[in-house]
Amino acid sequence: MTHPHPSVDSCHRSSIGPIDTPDRLLLGPGPSNAHPTVLQALSRTPIGHLDPLYVELMGEVQELLRYAWQTDNRLTLPMSGTGSSAMEATLANTIEPGDTVLVAVKGYFGNRLLDMAGRYRANVQVIEKPWGEAFSLEEIEAGIKKYKPAILAMVHAETSTGICQPMEGIGDLCREHDCLLLLDTVTSLGGVPLYLDAWKVDLAYSCSQKGLSCPPGLGPFTMGPRAEAKLAARQDKVPNWYLDVSLLNQYWGSDRVYHHTAPVNMNFGMREALRLLAEEGLDNAWARHRRNAQALWTGLESLGLEMHVPEELRLPTLTTVRIPEDVDGKAFSSHLLNSHGIEVGGGLGVLAGKIWRIGLMGYNSTPENVDRLLNLFETELPRFRQNAAVAA
Ligand SMILES: *Cc1c(COP(=O)(O)O)cnc(C)c1O
């Protein structure tokens, strides 16, 4: 007996026009705009993920990542996933149930680390600072002495507050107390001075879509020898198959054993993004980010706006600006998006409704973008003040 094919349900929508997204200028907390050269690389015909040419490209991506991070770590590779996948990989590979993980929380992403560490059954302990402050070395030391953690996890560039955590001395402290140092460098890689090996960082991760001028989709990950030793000494398997670095290293290391189908085009893009960064040079890229951020800060302050973070701790990649009391911050950012095609971010958590977050990351960190945004703050913001109608 043959079964008739069911007829195609004509109620489902089957005709949708071709994609037609606008060209926006992304000056929020990420993603930021991708470099045109990166976009070209993404649209190349894929090659096989075990093709010798692709295997060669993987090596180039790893080499360039080591340069961008200033590390010699053998286990340096992009996770197939966003920054959060690489974040989770740092924890999944190193935590054994019951290990004490001390998280230094001073914003939204510190809390994400804490949530993840708990899911891997760590004994999670926390030290906290208000959102917009950094930890002093003494505060970190007190935390380490009190909790004696196996891992200290913290965020270098806290995208929710605009703070850059000073790193001097923290790595030495961790070595002294036999603790691994895990650092979130998502909003610092490519835009803010970062020296993983000199700072004695054992584990770090980042993303493709912020300082690297690539679309979202990859999560650079790196693990130093001390963290590798902890992974090798594990009693049981890493409790996350997809993020298990011992398996992934059989693909990214010399064996080239299939693990999962690599997102080859994303890695084409990553290669180009990292190549462009190396061509510019880290020192030049960092100086450019600082120069353009400085111009933004000066311009905003001259318009009477206040920065959320003191200058010496401000991130060049992400500026947090206090929304004036008489302004509807959301209405202004919606206006920038809808009428001018520019995205800026709002606040998260305790800073919701209190700040705008302006990103100048990678390809987007230019004097032209700073001028364009400052002009709009000068000419358009007055219309969003509560007493605007009266004043006019
Ligand atoms: C963006 C961000 C992440 C998360 O990265 P995704 O790519 O969104 O998964 C983690 N930490 C910080 C500090 C970030 O800014």
Side-chain angles (χ1 to χ4, degrees):
M1 213 183 102
T2 57
H3 293 276
H5 288 292
S7 60
V8 173
D9 179 355
S10 59
C11 295
H12 288 129
R13 201 168 156 195
S14 58
S15 123
I16 295 179
I19 189 165
D20 185 27
T21 50
D23 283 339
R24 303 243 203 247
L25 176 59
L26 303 178
L27 300 182
S32 59
N33 291 75
H35 193 290
T37 304
V38 171
L39 293 177
Q40 276 174 9
L42 288 169
S43 66
R44 297 183 74 83
T45 304
I47 58 178
H49 66 114
L50 297 170
D51 185 315
L53 289 177
Y54 185 70
V55 165
E56 193 180 320
L57 181 140
M58 289 162 70
E60 292 166 347
V61 168
Q62 291 179 291
E63 216 172 294
L64 288 165
L65 265 179
R66 290 187 192 104
Y67 166 74
W69 254 325
Q70 294 290 285
T71 180
D72 292 329
N73 290 347
R74 177 181 82 101
L75 281 178
T76 301
L77 56 92
M79 289 290 164
S80 304
T82 67
S84 302
S85 72
M87 181 189 232
E88 187 146 352
T90 55
L91 297 164
N93 282 279
T94 50
I95 294 174
E96 286 189 273
D99 277 352
T100 299
V101 174
L102 176 61
V103 187
V105 176
K106 58 183 184 316
Y108 181 90
F109 290 101
N111 280 328
R112 182 172 295 184
L113 277 166
L114 192 155
D115 183 353
M116 284 183 182
R119 289 166 192 245
Y120 288 96
R121 298 197 284 137
N123 162 32
V124 183
Q125 300 294 340
V126 184
I127 48 175
E128 279 190 275
K129 292 293 280 186
W131 289 30
E133 293 180 25
F135 287 91
S136 70
L137 191 57
E138 292 69 33
E139 288 164 335
I140 299 281
E141 182 168 25
I144 291 179
K145 284 186 167 159
K146 179 167 176 195
Y147 296 109
K148 305 184 174 38
I151 302 170
L152 168 69
M154 61 198 308
V155 177
H156 181 220
E158 192 30 276
T159 323
S160 63
T161 67
I163 276 279
C164 187
Q165 171 65 47
M167 293 306 297
E168 290 78 11
I170 298 178
D172 286 323
L173 260 179
C174 287
R175 300 260 161 133
E176 245 170 70
H177 295 270
D178 198 22
C179 152
L180 296 178
L181 175 55
L182 189 165
L183 193 64
D184 176 317
T185 65
V186 171
T187 300
S188 46
L189 186 63
V192 179
L194 194 52
Y195 302 93
L196 284 199
D197 285 359
W199 292 352
K200 302 185 169 76
V201 174
D202 299 294
L203 291 147
Y205 57 89
S206 191
C207 76
S208 47
Q209 76 272 17
K210 293 179 188 176
L212 296 184
S213 317
C214 193
L218 289 178
F221 165 96
T222 189
M223 174 183 248
R226 295 171 78 236
E228 254 195 76
K230 186 160 179 10
L231 170 61
R234 286 188 78 96
Q235 295 299 307
D236 15 322
K237 288 182 178 177
V238 172
N240 184 319
W241 182 87
Y242 196 69
L243 301 175
D244 183 339
V245 176
S246 52
L247 299 179
L248 283 168
N249 193 46
Q250 292 174 27
Y251 176 51
W252 282 91
S254 50
D255 303 345
R256 305 299 181 182
V257 177
Y258 165 70
H259 179 261
H260 66 273
T261 307
V264 291
N265 287 56
M266 277 310 300
N267 279 290
F268 290 173
M270 179 57 94
R271 180 199 185 274
E272 288 306 279
L274 290 167
R275 183 182 64 79
L276 290 165
L277 177 62
E279 199 174 85
E280 180 178 14
L282 281 180
D283 285 322
N284 292 333
W286 296 337
R288 171 170 58 84
H289 280 84
R290 172 138 297 273
R291 206 163 50 238
N292 292 320
Q294 206 94 44
L296 177 70
W297 303 336
T298 307
L300 289 172
E301 278 167 347
S302 76
L303 294 173
L305 292 161
E306 230 182 289
M307 305 300 110
H308 181 62
V309 169
E311 182 157 1
E312 64 278 11
L313 295 175
R314 250 177 241 164
L315 274 175
T317 41
L318 189 111
T319 297
T320 45
V321 189
R322 294 208 175 124
I323 298 170
E325 298 247 317
D326 62 343
V327 169
D328 178 345
K330 182 71 195 153
F332 182 60
S333 51
S334 297
H335 172 69
L336 289 180
L337 186 68
N338 298 327
S339 307
H340 300 278
I342 299 182
E343 179 173 275
V344 304
L348 290 175
V350 294
L351 294 174
K354 300 209 167 88
I355 56 166
W356 289 299
R357 292 188 296 153
I358 303 174
L360 291 173
M361 303 183 192
Y363 177 66
N364 278 354
S365 173
T366 65
E368 293 73 24
N369 287 343
V370 171
D371 284 349
R372 197 168 149 197
L373 190 65
L374 284 176
N375 271 325
L376 288 169
F377 267 90
E378 182 169 12
T379 56
E380 308 284 299
L381 184 59
R383 293 174 32 209
F384 288 82
R385 293 192 179 266
Q386 261 161 33
N387 58 356
V390 184

